[in-house]
Every structure is written in C-alpha cells, then in structure tokens.
Amino acid sequence: MSDHKDLPAVTAPSVLTVRDLLSFPALQMRLLAGASGLGRAVSWAHVSELEDPTPWLAGSEVLMTVGLAVPRAGEAQRRYLERLDDAGVAALVLSTRLRTPALRQAFFAAAEERGFPVLEVPLAVPFVTIAQEVAAAVSEKSAERLGAQLQVFGALRWMAEENLDIPALFDRLEQLSGYRIFLCTPQGRPLLPGVAAPQDLSVLPADPDAPPTVPGGFVLPVLGPGGAAGYLVALERSGARPAGLAVVQHLATVAALRLAMVRQEREVLRREGAETLAEMLQDTLDPAGAQRRLAHHGLDARRPVVLAVVRGTPDEQLGLALSDHPHLTLRRGEDRLVLAEPGFSEALADLPGTVCGVSRPFAVGEPLRVARQEAEWAAGRAAEAGRPFVHYGEDATGRWLPEDRRLLAALVEQVLGDVLRYDRVHGSQLLVSVRTWMERDRRTEDAAAALHIHPNTLGYRLRRFGEVTGRDLTTTAAFTEVWFAVRAAAELGVAADGP
C-alpha cells in the first residue's frame, strides 16, 4: 500500500529496551547470552512457568521464570527458547539458584544465533520489582497507544467525511497502527477488495477462539452474522512502532463494519442484477436500456457476453467466487443463471460439486432465448458426463439438433422408441449402455468399466440394442442416427440414467 502524504510525520519517542533494563542499578541484572538483541523494545514484564506460554503473550514482553518450565535436555532447551523468540518475546529473565536446570550449549548457541537476550537476576530482586520498573518506563508509550486507539475509532469518521475507499482506509490504518494488514476468508481468499490476503496461510487458526498471538503480530477473527467471516492478520512493519493488541482488535472491528457495508452493497447490486437479467430473459428490456444496466454492474456492453447455468453451488459461495468478475445472477429453481464475460467460469474451478453449462458468446441486445437453451443443454451434458464445465459448441452435435421440441420428440420416438419401451418392460439398460459406449468413443473396455459390467456383457447389450431398434451400430449411417437420437433424448430428459 502507498503512503498518504497528508499524514503527519511520526517521531518515535524513546522506547524502553533490554539494554535499559541492564543499566537499571536496582535490578542488578547481568547478561548471559544474546548481546546482539539488547536493542529489542520492551512493552511489559510477565511471569510464567508454563512450558509454552506463547499463546498468552502479545509480543515484546520480558518473560520472567524461576526455571520450572525450562527443560533439562539441550535440544528441548533450544526449542523452548526458539518458541519464545518466534512469539516476539523481548528477553528471558532467569532467577538464580532456584529451579533453573543447568543451561546447555545448545541453549546458549540458539540465543546467540537469534540475538535473543537471556538475563539473570539475583534472588534478592523480586520479579515484582522488575514489573514495576518496566510499567513505569513504558507509561509514556501506553499513553501513545491510547491515542492510536482513539484515532482508529475515527476511521468511521474518515469513511464518512473523506469518502475513503477500502484500500485508502486500510492504508491509513497501517500507517497509524504500525502493522502490515491482511484480510482473508477462512479459506485464504481476499475478504475485502483492495486488501491483500496473507501469502502464508499457516498463520490462520483452526479455531476462531484460538489465541491471537502469532510470530511477529496477531491474527483476529473478523466477525459476521454467522460467526467468523474471515481473519485480520496484522504483522509488524519494519521500522514502525506497532501499537499493540488493543489497537489490532479495533482494526478487526473496523474490518467487520466495512465488510457488512460491502455485503449490503453487493446484495443491492445482486437484486438489481437479477431484475435486469429477468427482464432480458423476457425480452422486455430494450438494447439501450440493457447496455446502461450492464454498465452499472461493470460489464462493457460493447463486448460479447455469455449466459451460464450453474448447479450445485450455494449462492454465497457463487457470489464469493465471482466477486472479481462483473456479472448478473438470477435464481431459477435449483439453477443459477449467470450473465458475464467469457472466461468467468474459471473462477468456479475450485468449487466442489459445481456443474456449469456456458452458452456461445453473443452481443448485448440479442434475445437470450437461444443462449439460455444453449446453456441449459451444456449444463445437462456436463451433469451427464460428470464434468464440471461444458461450453456449448464443444460437442458439435448440439448445434445440429432442432430447437423445436416436437421435432426432437419425433426423432427420439422414431429411433429409440422401441428400445425405451423394451428397457421399461424388462428393466434392462440397453439405452444407457449404448450411450455410455458412444460417449467413450466406442472404447468397449472403458465403457464397461464405467457401467461396472464385463466387456462381454456390454457386447451382448450392443447387439441386443441393434436387434430391438433394427439399426446396426457398425455402420456409419446407423451410428450417426442413433447418436443424434440419444442427444435429443437427453435434451428432452427422457434418457435413462447413466453411471
């Protein structure tokens, strides 16, 4: 995100560091390892004897322990120190001659490698004294954090008075908070337009109630009506002064409010788009009016569009998948009709269970009757073949079928009528066997596997089909006639169920 020139320059005041603690005579601390990290900022002092206290830490703490949680083995000590460092702990303070086991070489090596200060304090200095010294030293910084929180509350005023769009709003919040802000859905997709999702999705919690601390920052849920709609990831920016967990919590609240506004805007657009598409399907909207309506929804009416029939995808998932593609959506029973530019269907590729049939591209202003027939036909073929997508025209048969359903019915009766009645009377599957064999380019073994029968059984069914219909499928003329009739039967919905 770019910097805002209208923001006042921030002058970093003095910050309490680990080096400062070593210089306080009353604390009598001495450095055991990690001298290169003495410049680390200190925000608080906290006592913990847990083996892994990191889920309850906010970062920049001095962690004090009598040693109960420090493991005895060298590699275990190293992992203990690395966990603290990854969580942003400023330094580890050990009280001498209490419960701390012998510190191993692996422990000291890790402290030096990471520049993680390890300090020792004499038994005569209680931990409460250290906590009081730290609290007094950071009071000025705490006041500044309160000021940052109040400014974050002003984000709603910025949106109203300055008409900030989403990227500009979060750009300003980044400058104020000292964090790089990311927003994403629980699946890792962008949650709000203009705000990037984190590249490392491993920081996302498995449970919205998980502790918020992650290495280098925080992860908090962005709440919606049904619970966590996504997550805000706030990672400390290099050279900035991060404002702390309380400010990040306010950022998550701002994100939730902005998300609610975006959803409301999208719902209004969706309803308007549904009305427009319904009028276009009924051919009651003139071309000029259609062009104006489509432009309002981000579609360039000068470019071709396609109509699609989408099945098996909930409305919310469909809306999220198409959020980056201008489109109109209309519900018709279990189907969702989608008007968009060619290529939009790629956005549905990762949605499980989706079946999508797409018409040929056509110009805005043309009647949608033909496009709808093409999309429905393609969706039927996709469901029939177990494919997620079919674009009309991929199967050249469709373009040669008559549009008049009476002609389709006559073709089915003439070619397949006898075998349809035979299957009903005998409970056989001659038609579905022939259709499966044809769809697999007459590969008998592949078709038999799809039907879960032996190839010899399929060979018998093909011969019996020829006897019932009087058509020898080894001839080109009979094969072509049957293929068109099978497609016409599928178009009418009278074909037998497939595998």
Side-chain angles (χ1 to χ4, degrees):
M1 293 185 180
S2 61
D3 293 336
H4 278 277
K5 295 182 179 179
D6 59 337
L7 287 173
V10 177
T11 302
S14 60
V15 178
L16 181 67
T17 66
V18 178
R19 182 178 288 106
D20 295 329
L21 295 183
L22 279 173
S23 69
F24 292 172
L27 300 185
Q28 303 178 44
M29 290 183 176
R30 73 183 186 95
L31 179 70
L32 298 182
S36 61
L38 292 179
R40 294 187 178 203
V42 176
S43 63
W44 199 246
H46 182 70
V47 179
S48 176
E49 303 301 337
L50 296 175
E51 182 179 350
D52 183 10
T54 57
W56 291 271
L57 300 177
S60 298
E61 296 94 350
V62 167
L63 187 70
M64 302 177 288
T65 177
V66 299
L68 291 174
V70 179
R72 295 185 175 277
E75 283 306 311
Q77 288 183 358
R78 181 187 187 97
R79 289 193 296 271
Y80 172 75
L81 183 143
E82 290 175 342
R83 280 198 301 273
L84 300 181
D85 186 39
D86 289 342
V89 172
L92 177 66
V93 176
L94 301 169
S95 184
T96 57
R97 296 194 305 276
L98 282 178
R99 302 297 181 86
T100 303
L103 299 177
R104 309 297 182 181
Q105 181 59 36
F107 177 86
F108 288 114
E112 296 297 340
E113 290 169 7
R114 290 177 168 246
F116 181 80
V118 179
L119 311 178
E120 186 181 60
V121 65
L123 190 60
V125 179
F127 286 162
V128 68
T129 301
I130 300 174
Q132 289 172 342
E133 290 285 345
V134 171
V138 301
S139 60
E140 179 181 356
K141 184 179 178 183
S142 298
E144 292 168 359
R145 287 191 175 187
L146 177 59
Q149 294 179 36
L150 294 175
Q151 291 186 64
V152 170
F153 280 128
L156 301 180
R157 177 175 55 81
W158 300 340
M159 288 190 289
E161 293 182 358
E162 304 180 38
N163 196 27
L164 291 181
D165 60 14
I166 293 175
L169 171 64
F170 281 90
D171 186 8
R172 187 171 296 189
L173 292 175
E174 281 192 345
Q175 301 301 317
L176 175 63
S177 67
Y179 293 96
R180 182 75 171 91
I181 300 172
F182 303 90
L183 289 168
C184 66
T185 66
Q187 295 76 32
R189 295 190 295 269
L191 182 66
L192 285 176
V195 183
Q199 294 183 348
D200 181 11
L201 299 182
S202 66
V203 300
L204 300 183
D207 183 353
D209 295 326
T213 305
V214 297
F218 305 96
V219 176
L220 291 173
V222 177
L223 299 179
Y231 292 96
L232 181 142
V233 180
L235 301 178
E236 297 177 6
R237 291 191 293 115
S238 176
R241 298 186 64 250
L245 177 59
V247 167
V248 177
Q249 289 172 329
H250 298 324
L251 296 179
T253 300
V254 172
L257 292 172
R258 198 64 187 90
L259 178 62
M261 295 169 64
V262 167
R263 286 182 167 178
Q264 178 62 25
E265 293 166 357
R266 285 175 177 171
E267 178 60 18
V268 171
L269 281 176
R270 186 198 67 77
R271 292 180 180 179
E272 293 176 349
E275 292 175 3
T276 296
L277 185 51
E279 292 181 43
M280 293 176 69
L281 287 166
Q282 295 167 5
D283 202 19
T284 59
L285 189 62
D286 63 276
Q291 291 177 359
R292 287 193 301 270
R293 300 268 195 96
L294 294 185
H296 177 63
H297 290 272
L299 287 162
D300 187 349
R302 298 168 298 180
R303 302 174 61 179
V305 293
V306 295
L307 187 67
V309 169
V310 181
R311 296 171 182 164
T313 303
D315 289 336
E316 185 174 357
Q317 289 186 18
L318 181 61
L320 286 174
L322 298 181
S323 59
D324 294 331
H325 297 267
H327 66 282
L328 309 182
T329 306
L330 177 65
R331 177 185 295 188
R332 282 291 183 262
E334 296 300 317
D335 292 345
R336 305 295 182 271
L337 302 181
V338 178
L339 183 76
E341 294 183 358
F344 84 94
S345 58
E346 296 176 1
L348 308 181
D350 295 331
L351 296 180
T354 295
V355 172
C356 180
V358 185
S359 74
R360 292 173 296 178
F362 60 93
V364 175
E366 294 182 10
L368 268 63
R369 180 176 57 86
V370 173
R372 182 174 181 178
Q373 290 177 343
E374 292 177 352
E376 289 177 343
W377 187 91
R381 301 297 79 73
E384 183 179 282
R387 296 168 54 187
F389 303 102
V390 167
H391 292 74
Y392 187 87
E394 290 178 342
D395 181 352
T397 305
R399 71 184 65 178
W400 303 113
L401 289 175
E403 295 182 6
D404 191 326
R405 296 179 69 85
R406 292 174 298 177
L407 295 177
L408 291 175
L411 174 61
V412 172
E413 173 59 29
Q414 179 183 357
V415 179
L416 303 177
D418 289 340
V419 77
L420 283 168
R421 287 183 284 273
Y422 183 91
D423 279 344
R424 282 197 296 268
V425 171
H426 296 87
S428 56
Q429 292 188 310
L430 298 185
L431 179 55
V432 69
S433 299
V434 168
R435 190 196 72 198
T436 303
W437 175 69
M438 287 180 162
E439 288 176 344
R440 284 158 179 77
D441 297 326
R442 291 167 283 182
R443 294 190 296 269
T444 301
E445 291 188 358
D446 289 352
L451 292 164
H452 306 291
I453 61 175
H454 193 276
N456 290 342
T457 303
L458 177 57
Y460 165 78
R461 291 182 182 179
L462 296 178
R463 291 191 297 273
R464 187 62 184 141
F465 177 92
E467 294 170 359
V468 172
T469 61
R471 287 168 172 80
D472 182 0
L473 294 177
T474 62
T475 67
T476 301
F479 181 90
T480 303
E481 186 180 29
V482 170
W483 176 243
F484 274 97
V486 166
R487 285 304 182 193
E491 183 71 18
L492 294 172
V494 297
D497 292 335

